[in-house]
Amino acid sequence: MAAVGYAEERHWDVLPGCWLETPPGGAPRCSCASPVCASPGAHPTRPDWAGQASGNAVALRRMWHKHPRASVLLPTGRTFDALDVSETAGFLALARLERMGLPLGPVLSTPARRIVFLVLPGARAKVPELLRRMGWAPGSLDLTARGEGGWVPAPPTRMCSGGSVRWLRPPTALNRWLPDAEELLSPLAYACGRDREEAAAPGR
């Protein structure tokens, strides 16, 4: 079970979320049954979800025994924060980061065409000021820092946008120590800025 593995191997808190249901002859829909669900198959099932998340393997097995189709959500702001960018910017930044030899933690790809970089907690609080120092106005880039009160979907979660969440850089012993957001932010901001410019170019 993936949820138990994340708790036992990485000491991450894990949360069971909504899941996809496919009615006979119909398209997949979120188990929350909302016709305007913003994140089908990949959001918490209740408002007090933060207290439901657990790193206890026994508790997690009990949760998934009750809801075996539940999505796997990882709360941010605890053992890690997350930097969330578009797929285009994410792949560009990933290649640049690896060429530069900069440290990387686990990296996720979602069916919503987002790339998510896991970093040390505290990123959400300091990213706006770091971007200002680089000459970027916060909010001008398609770059979101997720911290306390947020979450990211983890494999093998399926989403209505098509397909499943997957690891581009899976959790291993080599990336157990997460990078600070400041180490990754310059390449990420550059990639997001370039993606914005290309999207605004004539003919796009």
Side-chain angles (χ1 to χ4, degrees):
M1 183 189 299
V4 173
Y6 296 142
E8 291 185 332
E9 296 168 18
R10 298 295 287 210
H11 305 292
W12 289 343
D13 282 354
V14 189
L15 171 75
C18 291
W19 56 91
L20 294 184
E21 295 181 335
T22 305
R29 64 188 182 190
C30 188
S31 63
C32 73
S34 170
V36 292
C37 180
S39 187
H43 66 87
T45 60
R46 49 198 239 192
D48 62 342
W49 64 266
Q52 184 188 18
S54 175
N56 182 284
V58 174
L60 292 173
R61 287 191 178 93
R62 189 182 306 121
M63 292 179 195
W64 262 268
H65 179 74
K66 186 176 181 180
H67 297 294
R69 292 187 293 166
S71 59
V72 179
L73 307 180
L74 305 176
T76 51
R78 300 186 181 190
T79 51
F80 60 81
D81 277 9
L83 301 179
D84 181 330
V85 300
S86 73
E87 185 177 76
T88 302
F91 281 122
L92 176 61
L94 191 58
R96 189 176 177 89
L97 286 161
E98 291 180 336
R99 284 198 306 269
M100 296 169 68
L102 293 175
L104 279 172
V107 181
L108 285 160
S109 172
T110 79
R113 302 191 67 181
R114 306 296 297 180
I115 305 295
V116 181
F117 296 77
L118 303 191
V119 295
L120 288 173
R124 184 180 179 185
K126 61 186 179 183
V127 160
E129 179 57 30
L130 290 172
L131 288 174
R132 287 190 192 96
R133 292 179 190 174
M134 295 175 192
W136 297 101
S140 66
L141 298 177
D142 184 7
L143 189 160
T144 302
R146 304 193 182 281
E148 186 175 358
W151 69 86
V152 295
T157 297
R158 291 176 57 237
M159 298 174 66
C160 253
S161 48
S164 301
V165 180
R166 62 190 179 95
W167 291 111
L168 293 179
R169 298 295 180 273
T172 68
L174 296 178
N175 60 22
R176 181 170 295 277
W177 304 108
L178 299 176
D180 189 276
E182 190 167 0
E183 298 176 84
L184 309 187
L185 199 56
S186 180
L188 282 171
Y190 167 81
C192 289
R194 182 170 165 181
D195 186 32
R196 185 184 66 173
E197 290 173 1
E198 291 182 355
R204 290 297 297 270

